[in-house]
Structure formats: structure tokens, C-alpha cells
Amino acid sequence: MDHPSEWKYSTPFSQFLYGEVNSNSAISQLDFFIYAAKFQPTFPVIMVISSLYLLILIGYHLLKKQHKRFAYYLSFLGGVLFLLSYFIFNSPTFGGQIFFYIWLVSGVLCIVNAVITYFQILNHNTNEITN
């Protein structure tokens, strides 16, 4: 906020939405979030973890009876998380590295949970056929 010469490099969303940023009132809230995530990541990390929890919980409640679709949902979510972690793989900031690991580990957990859920369904269906 105090260094207008840095606005060119630290306000990509404001520049995309409004063009050139000439005053600090033209900086979007998303750019403030990105800045906080890079340099003071505590609250953005809590927000991202809470959002992931809510996404998984909503998917579970909506697809409670359809276990196979829930496994596909978790696979899709895991893929999106891997993609997000790929985009910030070489981040030079501490916050970027934290987000890389959070998204990578969350993606792995989603994929592993999806595979376990899917094979439990296959195993359950195989047991019903043999009985």
C-alpha cells in the first residue's frame, strides 16, 4: 500500500479488473488476500483448510447414498488440489511454500480416500454376488 512502485508486481487481479492501478483504493480484496497468503499466511491457511473441510463435508452429505460418485468427487477435488499445488511449486515466499504443501497433502489424502472408497464399493459388490 505504501509503495506505489510495487503495485505493478503485487496487484495482478486489480490490474486485470481495472487496468493500471493508480491509487490504493483501486486495489482489489483478492490482491490483499494474495499478499497475506504470501507473507502472513496464518489466517489464509486456516481459511483454506476450513474451506476444504466444508467442500468435503458438503460433497459427503450430497452424495451420501452414492458412494461411487463420492469417490469420483474426491478424485476430482484431489486433482484440483494437485493442480493448485503445481501452480505455486517454485514459490519463493514462505506462504507460497506452505500453500504448496497444504494443497499437495490434501490432494494426496483426497485421492487415497477416493481409491479406498471405490475399492470398498467393489469389494462389497463382489461379496454380494458370491453370497
Side-chain angles (χ1 to χ4, degrees):
M1 295 270 302
D2 298 333
H3 304 288
S5 61
E6 291 293 320
W7 290 349
K8 180 179 178 183
Y9 307 106
S10 59
T11 58
F13 293 104
S14 298
Q15 290 177 22
F16 178 73
L17 294 173
Y18 309 120
E20 188 176 342
V21 178
N22 295 321
S23 67
N24 59 3
S25 63
I27 298 174
S28 73
Q29 293 298 315
L30 189 54
D31 285 326
F32 286 120
F33 176 76
I34 299 298
Y35 180 83
K38 284 180 175 180
F39 300 107
Q40 298 175 352
T42 305
F43 291 110
V45 164
I46 292 169
M47 190 177 91
V48 165
I49 291 172
S50 300
S51 298
L52 284 173
Y53 176 73
L54 284 174
L55 282 173
I56 293 169
L57 192 63
I58 289 169
Y60 175 76
H61 280 292
L62 290 177
L63 303 169
K64 193 183 312 187
K65 305 275 190 222
Q66 304 162 343
H67 298 291
K68 191 180 277 190
R69 286 190 181 183
F70 181 63
Y72 293 147
Y73 174 76
L74 286 177
S75 298
F76 175 75
L77 187 61
V80 169
L81 291 168
F82 278 134
L83 191 62
L84 287 172
S85 68
Y86 173 76
F87 285 136
I88 60 167
F89 174 67
N90 287 326
S91 178
T93 62
F94 178 68
Q97 293 171 355
I98 288 175
F99 275 97
F100 167 73
Y101 287 115
I102 286 174
W103 285 333
L104 183 67
V105 169
S106 298
V108 168
L109 290 175
C110 283
I111 296 292
V112 166
N113 198 352
V115 168
I116 290 170
T117 302
Y118 188 77
F119 282 117
Q120 281 179 344
I121 295 165
L122 288 180
N123 190 23
H124 185 264
N125 290 341
T126 305
N127 288 339
E128 285 181 359
I129 292 172
T130 58
N131 290 333

